[in-house]
DNA sequence: TCAATGGGCGCG
DNA sequence: AAAGCGCGCCCATTGA
Protein backbone atom coordinates (compact mmCIF):
# COMPACT_ATOMS: atom_id res chain seq x y z
CA UNK A 1 0.00 0.00 0.00
CA UNK A 2 2.62 2.54 1.09
CA UNK A 3 4.87 1.25 -1.68
CA UNK A 4 2.55 2.81 -4.26
CA UNK A 5 3.72 6.15 -2.97
CA UNK A 6 7.42 5.32 -3.04
CA UNK A 7 7.69 4.38 0.62
CA UNK A 8 9.72 1.17 0.97
CA UNK A 9 9.80 1.36 4.78
CA UNK A 10 7.13 2.99 6.91
CA UNK A 11 9.75 3.37 9.63
CA UNK A 12 11.80 5.78 7.55
CA UNK A 13 10.52 9.27 8.44
CA UNK A 14 12.41 10.77 5.50
CA UNK A 15 10.58 8.61 2.98
CA UNK A 16 7.20 9.15 4.61
CA UNK A 17 7.72 12.88 4.77
CA UNK A 18 8.83 13.13 1.15
CA UNK A 19 5.91 11.04 -0.09
CA UNK A 20 3.36 13.08 1.85
CA UNK A 21 4.85 16.32 0.54
CA UNK A 22 4.61 14.85 -2.96
CA UNK A 23 0.91 14.29 -2.39
CA UNK A 24 0.47 17.95 -1.66
CA UNK A 25 0.20 17.70 2.12
CA UNK A 26 1.56 20.54 4.18
CA UNK A 27 4.02 19.36 6.85
CA UNK A 28 4.92 22.24 9.10
CA UNK A 29 5.80 20.36 12.30
CA UNK A 30 9.52 19.93 12.85
CA UNK A 31 11.50 17.67 15.17
CA UNK A 32 14.01 18.94 17.71
CA UNK A 33 16.70 18.74 15.04
CA UNK A 34 14.76 20.63 12.43
CA UNK A 35 13.69 17.66 10.35
CA UNK A 36 10.13 17.18 9.16
CA UNK A 37 8.11 15.46 11.86
CA UNK A 38 5.87 12.59 10.69
CA UNK A 39 4.88 11.04 14.00
CA UNK A 40 1.39 10.11 15.14
CA UNK A 41 0.64 13.71 16.04
CA UNK A 42 1.08 14.63 12.38
CA UNK A 43 -0.27 11.50 10.74
CA UNK A 44 -3.52 11.11 12.70
CA UNK A 45 -4.97 14.47 11.61
CA UNK A 46 -3.94 13.74 8.00
CA UNK A 47 -5.80 10.45 8.20
CA UNK A 48 -8.80 12.30 9.70
CA UNK A 49 -8.48 10.29 12.92
CA UNK A 50 -8.63 11.40 16.55
CA UNK A 51 -6.28 10.05 19.19
CA UNK A 52 -8.51 6.99 19.59
CA UNK A 53 -8.32 6.33 15.84
CA UNK A 54 -11.95 7.31 15.24
CA UNK A 55 -12.96 9.23 12.13
CA UNK A 56 -13.29 12.94 12.78
CA UNK A 57 -15.08 13.79 9.55
CA UNK A 58 -13.14 16.99 9.09
CA UNK A 59 -11.38 16.14 5.84
CA UNK A 60 -10.76 13.48 3.24
CA UNK A 61 -8.37 10.97 4.88
CA UNK A 62 -4.92 10.73 3.33
CA UNK A 63 -4.58 7.03 2.40
CA UNK A 64 -0.81 6.99 2.86
CA UNK A 65 -0.97 8.52 6.31
CA UNK A 66 -3.60 5.96 7.26
CA UNK A 67 -1.56 3.07 5.87
CA UNK A 68 1.63 4.21 7.61
CA UNK A 69 -0.13 4.51 10.95
CA UNK A 70 -1.64 1.03 10.77
CA UNK A 71 1.50 -0.59 9.45
CA UNK A 72 3.68 0.91 12.15
CA UNK A 73 1.32 -0.10 14.92
CA UNK A 74 1.05 -3.65 13.62
CA UNK A 75 4.83 -3.87 13.31
CA UNK A 76 5.41 -2.53 16.77
CA UNK A 77 2.99 -4.94 18.36
CA UNK A 78 4.25 -7.92 16.42
CA UNK A 79 7.93 -7.27 17.08
CA UNK A 80 8.21 -5.40 20.38
CA UNK A 81 5.51 -7.29 22.22
CA UNK A 82 4.48 -10.58 20.57
CA UNK A 83 7.93 -11.64 19.43
CA UNK A 84 9.50 -10.33 22.62
CA UNK A 85 7.15 -12.42 24.72
CA UNK A 86 7.72 -15.53 22.63
CA UNK A 87 11.47 -14.96 22.85
CA UNK A 88 11.30 -14.65 26.60
CA UNK A 89 9.15 -17.72 27.11
CA UNK A 90 10.74 -20.71 28.82
CA UNK A 91 9.93 -24.37 28.14
CA UNK A 92 7.08 -24.19 30.62
CA UNK A 93 5.43 -21.28 28.85
CA UNK A 94 6.43 -18.75 31.46
CA UNK A 95 8.19 -15.44 31.04
CA UNK A 96 10.59 -13.98 33.57
CA UNK A 97 11.11 -10.29 32.82
CA UNK A 98 14.17 -8.46 34.08
CA UNK A 99 13.19 -6.07 36.82
CA UNK A 100 15.39 -3.15 37.75
CA UNK A 101 13.82 -1.89 40.95
CA UNK A 102 15.78 1.36 40.79
CA UNK A 103 15.71 1.67 37.01
CA UNK A 104 14.51 5.22 36.57
CA UNK A 105 16.06 8.43 37.84
CA UNK A 106 13.01 8.78 40.06
CA UNK A 107 13.66 5.23 41.38
CA UNK A 108 10.66 3.88 39.54
CA UNK A 109 11.02 0.31 38.35
CA UNK A 110 11.98 -0.48 34.82
CA UNK A 111 11.04 -3.85 33.34
CA UNK A 112 12.48 -5.40 30.21
CA UNK A 113 12.56 -8.60 28.17
CA UNK A 114 9.67 -8.36 27.71
CA UNK A 115 8.67 -4.80 28.57
CA UNK A 116 5.77 -5.82 30.79
CA UNK A 117 4.99 -2.26 31.82
CA UNK A 118 4.56 -1.13 28.22
CA UNK A 119 2.13 -3.70 26.85
CA UNK A 120 -0.76 -1.90 25.12
CA UNK A 121 -3.61 -1.19 27.51
CA UNK A 122 -6.07 0.41 25.12
CA UNK A 123 -7.21 -2.99 23.92
CA UNK A 124 -6.80 -6.58 24.97
CA UNK A 125 -5.08 -8.62 22.29
CA UNK A 126 -1.56 -8.26 23.68
CA UNK A 127 -2.23 -8.33 27.39
CA UNK A 128 -4.35 -11.45 27.06
CA UNK A 129 -1.06 -13.28 26.40
CA UNK A 130 -0.51 -13.00 30.14
CA UNK A 131 -2.61 -15.77 31.62
CA UNK A 132 -3.25 -16.94 35.16
CA UNK A 133 -0.82 -19.42 36.73
CA UNK A 134 -3.01 -22.50 36.60
CA UNK A 135 -6.13 -23.60 34.73
CA UNK A 136 -9.12 -22.25 36.56
CA UNK A 137 -7.13 -19.44 38.17
CA UNK A 138 -7.88 -15.82 37.43
CA UNK A 139 -5.94 -12.62 37.17
CA UNK A 140 -6.64 -10.09 39.89
CA UNK A 141 -5.25 -6.60 40.10
CA UNK A 142 -5.35 -3.46 42.16
CA UNK A 143 -4.24 0.02 41.22
CA UNK A 144 -3.76 3.13 43.31
CA UNK A 145 -6.33 5.87 42.92
CA UNK A 146 -4.70 9.10 41.63
CA UNK A 147 -1.67 8.35 43.76
CA UNK A 148 0.60 11.05 42.31
CA UNK A 149 -1.98 13.77 42.78
CA UNK A 150 -2.66 12.72 46.36
CA UNK A 151 1.09 12.82 46.97
CA UNK A 152 1.17 16.27 45.43
CA UNK A 153 -1.61 17.51 47.70
CA UNK A 154 0.01 16.07 50.81
CA UNK A 155 3.59 17.15 50.20
CA UNK A 156 2.56 20.61 49.02
CA UNK A 157 0.62 21.03 52.24
CA UNK A 158 -2.70 21.72 50.51
CA UNK A 159 -4.59 20.91 53.66
CA UNK A 160 -8.03 21.86 52.35
CA UNK A 161 -7.54 19.47 49.43
CA UNK A 162 -6.22 16.72 51.70
CA UNK A 163 -9.14 17.07 54.11
CA UNK A 164 -11.66 16.71 51.33
CA UNK A 165 -9.84 13.73 49.82
CA UNK A 166 -9.88 12.07 53.21
CA UNK A 167 -13.58 12.82 53.55
CA UNK A 168 -14.09 10.65 50.51
CA UNK A 169 -14.79 13.41 48.01
CA UNK A 170 -13.82 12.67 44.41
CA UNK A 171 -10.45 14.33 43.78
CA UNK A 172 -11.12 15.94 40.43
CA UNK A 173 -14.61 16.99 41.44
CA UNK A 174 -13.44 18.64 44.64
CA UNK A 175 -10.74 20.53 42.76
CA UNK A 176 -13.35 21.67 40.25
CA UNK A 177 -15.57 22.92 43.06
CA UNK A 178 -12.66 24.88 44.51
CA UNK A 179 -11.58 26.38 41.19
CA UNK A 180 -15.06 27.14 39.82
CA UNK A 181 -17.17 28.25 42.82
CA UNK A 182 -20.34 28.14 40.74
CA UNK A 183 -19.95 24.34 40.64
CA UNK A 184 -19.60 24.03 44.42
CA UNK A 185 -23.13 22.72 44.89
CA UNK A 186 -23.06 20.30 41.96
CA UNK A 187 -23.08 16.58 42.67
CA UNK A 188 -20.48 14.12 41.38
CA UNK A 189 -23.04 12.80 38.91
CA UNK A 190 -23.68 16.29 37.57
CA UNK A 191 -19.97 17.02 37.30
CA UNK A 192 -19.12 13.66 35.77
CA UNK A 193 -19.18 14.86 32.17
CA UNK A 194 -18.81 18.56 32.87
CA UNK A 195 -16.12 20.23 30.80
CA UNK A 196 -14.93 22.23 33.80
CA UNK A 197 -14.13 19.00 35.63
CA UNK A 198 -12.33 17.69 32.58
CA UNK A 199 -10.34 20.92 32.39
CA UNK A 200 -9.40 20.80 36.07
CA UNK A 201 -8.36 17.17 35.75
CA UNK A 202 -6.06 18.05 32.86
CA UNK A 203 -4.58 20.98 34.76
CA UNK A 204 -4.00 18.83 37.85
CA UNK A 205 -2.16 16.23 35.81
CA UNK A 206 -0.21 19.03 34.18
CA UNK A 207 0.90 20.17 37.62
CA UNK A 208 2.03 16.67 38.58
CA UNK A 209 3.85 16.10 35.28
CA UNK A 210 5.32 19.59 34.89
CA UNK A 211 3.29 20.34 31.78
CA UNK A 212 3.03 23.81 30.30
CA UNK A 213 0.23 25.99 29.00
CA UNK A 214 0.75 24.91 25.40
CA UNK A 215 0.58 21.24 26.30
CA UNK A 216 -2.62 21.84 28.22
CA UNK A 217 -4.11 23.72 25.30
CA UNK A 218 -3.27 20.89 22.95
CA UNK A 219 -4.65 18.27 25.32
CA UNK A 220 -7.91 20.12 25.92
CA UNK A 221 -8.29 21.51 22.42
CA UNK A 222 -9.00 24.89 24.01
CA UNK A 223 -7.45 28.23 22.99
CA UNK A 224 -4.27 29.13 24.88
CA UNK A 225 -5.81 32.25 26.36
CA UNK A 226 -8.72 30.32 27.83
CA UNK A 227 -6.36 27.75 29.34
CA UNK A 228 -4.24 30.54 30.79
CA UNK A 229 -7.26 32.05 32.51
CA UNK A 230 -8.28 28.67 33.92
CA UNK A 231 -4.77 27.98 35.24
CA UNK A 232 -4.78 31.37 36.95
CA UNK A 233 -8.09 30.55 38.62
CA UNK A 234 -6.66 27.17 39.62
CA UNK A 235 -3.54 28.73 41.15
CA UNK A 236 -5.63 31.28 43.02
CA UNK A 237 -7.89 28.56 44.43
CA UNK A 238 -5.01 26.23 45.38
CA UNK A 239 -1.87 28.34 45.87
CA UNK A 240 0.03 25.61 47.72
CA UNK A 241 1.17 23.77 44.59
CA UNK A 242 2.91 26.79 43.14
CA UNK A 243 4.50 27.66 46.46
CA UNK A 244 5.82 24.11 46.85
CA UNK A 245 7.18 24.15 43.32
CA UNK A 246 9.03 27.37 44.03
CA UNK A 247 10.45 25.98 47.27
CA UNK A 248 11.64 22.76 45.59
CA UNK A 249 13.16 24.62 42.68
CA UNK A 250 15.11 26.75 45.12
CA UNK A 251 16.25 23.61 46.93
CA UNK A 252 17.45 22.14 43.64
CA UNK A 253 19.46 25.23 42.73
CA UNK A 254 21.17 25.36 46.10
CA UNK A 255 21.96 21.63 46.10
CA UNK A 256 23.64 21.12 42.74
CA UNK A 257 20.34 20.32 41.02
CA UNK A 258 19.33 17.59 43.44
CA UNK A 259 16.29 17.30 45.67
CA UNK A 260 15.69 14.91 48.56
CA UNK A 261 12.44 12.98 48.86
CA UNK A 262 10.67 12.33 52.16
CA UNK A 263 12.11 8.78 52.12
CA UNK A 264 15.62 10.17 51.77
CA UNK A 265 16.24 9.54 48.10
CA UNK A 266 18.44 12.09 46.40
CA UNK A 267 17.09 12.79 42.92
CA UNK A 268 19.12 14.52 40.24
CA UNK A 269 17.16 16.81 37.97
CA UNK A 270 18.07 17.75 34.43
CA UNK A 271 20.28 20.81 34.71
CA UNK A 272 18.02 23.01 32.60
CA UNK A 273 14.71 21.66 33.89
CA UNK A 274 14.40 22.79 37.48
CA UNK A 275 10.66 23.12 36.95
CA UNK A 276 10.38 19.32 36.95
CA UNK A 277 11.10 19.12 40.68
CA UNK A 278 7.51 18.39 41.70
CA UNK A 279 7.13 15.81 38.93
CA UNK A 280 10.21 13.95 40.17
CA UNK A 281 9.09 14.23 43.77
CA UNK A 282 5.58 12.91 43.07
CA UNK A 283 6.73 10.09 40.83
CA UNK A 284 9.40 8.95 43.25
CA UNK A 285 7.13 9.12 46.27
CA UNK A 286 4.43 7.19 44.44
CA UNK A 287 7.07 4.56 43.74
CA UNK A 288 7.96 4.39 47.43
CA UNK A 289 4.31 3.98 48.32
CA UNK A 290 4.12 1.00 45.97
CA UNK A 291 7.24 -0.39 47.65
CA UNK A 292 5.59 0.02 51.03
CA UNK A 293 2.51 -1.79 49.72
CA UNK A 294 4.65 -4.69 48.47
CA UNK A 295 6.24 -4.98 51.93
CA UNK A 296 2.75 -5.09 53.40
CA UNK A 297 1.91 -7.89 50.96
CA UNK A 298 5.02 -9.77 51.98
CA UNK A 299 4.07 -9.52 55.64
CA UNK A 300 0.55 -10.67 54.84
CA UNK A 301 1.83 -13.68 52.87
CA UNK A 302 0.33 -12.37 49.65
CA UNK A 303 3.49 -12.08 47.59
CA UNK A 304 3.13 -15.63 46.30
CA UNK A 305 0.13 -14.48 44.28
CA UNK A 306 1.84 -11.44 42.77
CA UNK A 307 3.10 -11.85 39.22
CA UNK A 308 3.91 -8.31 38.19
CA UNK A 309 3.87 -4.60 38.79
CA UNK A 310 3.00 -1.73 36.47
CA UNK A 311 4.08 1.48 38.25
CA UNK A 312 0.92 2.00 40.32
CA UNK A 313 -0.73 -1.34 39.82
CA UNK A 314 -0.15 -4.82 41.20
CA UNK A 315 -1.07 -7.85 39.06
CA UNK A 316 -1.64 -11.22 40.68
CA UNK A 317 -2.94 -14.68 39.90
CA UNK A 318 -5.17 -16.61 42.26
CA UNK A 319 -7.49 -19.62 42.35
CA UNK A 320 -10.95 -18.51 41.36
CA UNK A 321 -12.46 -19.36 44.72
CA UNK A 322 -9.91 -17.15 46.52
CA UNK A 323 -9.85 -14.39 43.95
CA UNK A 324 -12.20 -11.99 45.69
CA UNK A 325 -10.33 -12.32 48.96
CA UNK A 326 -6.85 -12.07 47.44
CA UNK A 327 -7.89 -9.01 45.49
CA UNK A 328 -9.42 -7.41 48.56
CA UNK A 329 -6.37 -8.19 50.73
CA UNK A 330 -3.98 -6.81 48.13
CA UNK A 331 -6.14 -3.72 48.01
CA UNK A 332 -5.86 -3.47 51.77
CA UNK A 333 -2.07 -3.63 51.59
CA UNK A 334 -2.25 -0.74 49.15
CA UNK A 335 -4.27 1.40 51.52
CA UNK A 336 -2.27 3.60 53.87
CA UNK A 337 -1.77 7.16 55.02
CA UNK A 338 0.96 9.26 53.43
CA UNK A 339 1.86 12.51 55.18
CA UNK A 340 -1.74 12.97 56.17
CA UNK A 341 -3.46 11.97 52.95
CA UNK A 342 -5.27 8.67 52.50
CA UNK A 343 -3.84 6.51 49.73
CA UNK A 344 -6.58 4.35 48.29
CA UNK A 345 -6.66 1.52 45.79
CA UNK A 346 -9.15 -0.06 43.46
CA UNK A 347 -9.05 -3.90 43.59
CA UNK A 348 -10.49 -5.84 40.68
CA UNK A 349 -10.99 -9.44 39.64
CA UNK A 350 -10.40 -9.90 35.91
CA UNK A 351 -10.64 -13.30 34.23
CA UNK A 352 -8.30 -16.01 33.03
CA UNK A 353 -6.21 -13.40 31.22
CA UNK A 354 -4.87 -9.91 31.87
CA UNK A 355 -7.06 -7.48 29.99
CA UNK A 356 -8.14 -4.35 31.67
CA UNK A 357 -11.89 -4.15 32.06
CA UNK A 358 -12.66 -5.76 28.74
CA UNK A 359 -14.44 -8.66 30.29
CA UNK A 360 -16.94 -6.13 31.56
CA UNK A 361 -17.12 -3.35 29.00
CA UNK A 362 -15.26 -3.99 25.77
CA UNK A 363 -16.47 -5.29 22.44
CA UNK A 364 -14.78 -8.57 23.27
CA UNK A 365 -16.94 -9.11 26.33
CA UNK A 366 -18.71 -12.12 24.81
CA UNK A 367 -15.50 -13.77 23.66
CA UNK A 368 -13.93 -13.29 27.08
CA UNK A 369 -17.01 -14.59 28.80
CA UNK A 370 -16.88 -17.64 26.58
CA UNK A 371 -13.19 -18.13 27.34
CA UNK A 372 -14.01 -17.99 31.02
CA UNK A 373 -16.68 -20.63 30.60
CA UNK A 374 -14.19 -22.93 28.92
CA UNK A 375 -11.51 -22.23 31.49
CA UNK A 376 -13.69 -22.92 34.48
C1' DT B 1 30.16 -4.95 10.44
C1' DC B 2 29.21 -2.31 14.46
C1' DA B 3 28.00 1.37 17.67
C1' DA B 4 25.83 5.68 18.19
C1' DT B 5 22.12 8.77 17.13
C1' DG B 6 17.47 10.28 15.86
C1' DG B 7 12.64 9.66 15.28
C1' DG B 8 8.94 7.28 16.85
C1' DC B 9 5.62 4.85 20.06
C1' DG B 10 3.96 1.62 23.75
C1' DC B 11 2.97 2.30 29.12
C1' DG B 12 1.82 4.89 33.96
C1' DA C 1 7.65 33.62 31.47
C1' DA C 2 7.87 28.91 30.27
C1' DA C 3 8.33 23.89 30.78
C1' DG C 4 5.26 16.93 30.13
C1' DC C 5 7.74 13.56 33.65
C1' DG C 6 9.82 8.68 33.77
C1' DC C 7 11.00 4.36 31.04
C1' DG C 8 12.12 0.04 26.92
C1' DC C 9 12.78 -0.85 22.42
C1' DC C 10 12.01 -0.74 17.56
C1' DC C 11 14.00 0.73 12.69
C1' DA C 12 16.75 3.68 9.58
C1' DT C 13 20.58 6.34 9.03
C1' DT C 14 25.23 7.71 9.74
C1' DG C 15 30.09 7.46 10.45
C1' DA C 16 33.91 4.88 11.64
Amino acid sequence: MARQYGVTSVNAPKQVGAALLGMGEELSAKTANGQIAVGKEVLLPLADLDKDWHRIGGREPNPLADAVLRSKRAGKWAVSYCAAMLDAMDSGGRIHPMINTLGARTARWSVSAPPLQQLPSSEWRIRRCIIADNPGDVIVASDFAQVELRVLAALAGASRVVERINAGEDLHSLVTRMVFPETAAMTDAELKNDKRRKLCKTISLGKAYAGGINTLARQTGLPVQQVKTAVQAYDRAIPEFGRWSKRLTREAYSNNMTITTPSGRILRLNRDKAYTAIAFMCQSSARDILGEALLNMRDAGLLRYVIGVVHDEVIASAPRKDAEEVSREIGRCMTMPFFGVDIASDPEVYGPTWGHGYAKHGPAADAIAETMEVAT
Side-chain angles (χ1 to χ4, degrees), chain A residues 190-322:
Chain A
E190 288 166 334
L191 275 174
K192 184 94 186 165
N193 294 314
D194 193 286
K195 61 179 193 291
R196 285 164 294 192
R197 183 181 184 278
K198 186 158 275 182
L199 179 57
C200 282
K201 182 176 175 179
T202 306
I203 296 176
S204 293
L205 289 171
K207 301 275 178 204
Y209 293 154
I213 297 286
N214 292 325
T215 306
L216 294 179
R218 183 162 36 77
Q219 285 170 347
T220 56
L222 265 39
V224 168
Q225 193 48 53
Q226 199 173 325
V227 172
K228 228 177 237 175
T229 308
V231 170
Q232 280 168 6
Y234 189 110
D235 290 337
R236 229 176 303 123
I238 311 175
E240 291 92 343
F241 296 165
R243 284 206 285 265
W244 187 47
S245 176
K246 188 172 275 183
R247 204 181 330 137
L248 276 184
T249 306
R250 209 182 302 282
E251 180 190 333
Y253 280 130
S254 54
N255 288 286
N256 192 23
M257 289 312 276
T258 64
I259 52 176
T260 303
T261 72
S263 63
R265 293 190 193 285
I266 298 171
L267 306 179
R268 174 164 298 282
L269 308 181
N270 292 328
R271 184 153 298 284
D272 55 345
K273 292 185 179 176
Y275 63 89
T276 61
I278 48 178
F280 272 65
M281 202 64 126
C282 291
Q283 196 173 105
S284 195
S285 293
R287 176 261 182 239
D288 287 334
I289 289 168
L290 177 67
E292 192 72 32
L294 287 170
L295 292 177
N296 291 340
M297 289 174 216
R298 179 199 60 188
D299 295 344
L302 289 165
L303 233 37
R304 59 194 222 83
Y305 297 106
V306 175
I307 61 176
V309 158
V310 187
H311 298 308
D312 69 344
E313 185 177 10
V314 173
I315 317 294
S317 173
R320 174 172 288 286
K321 66 175 171 48
D322 305 326

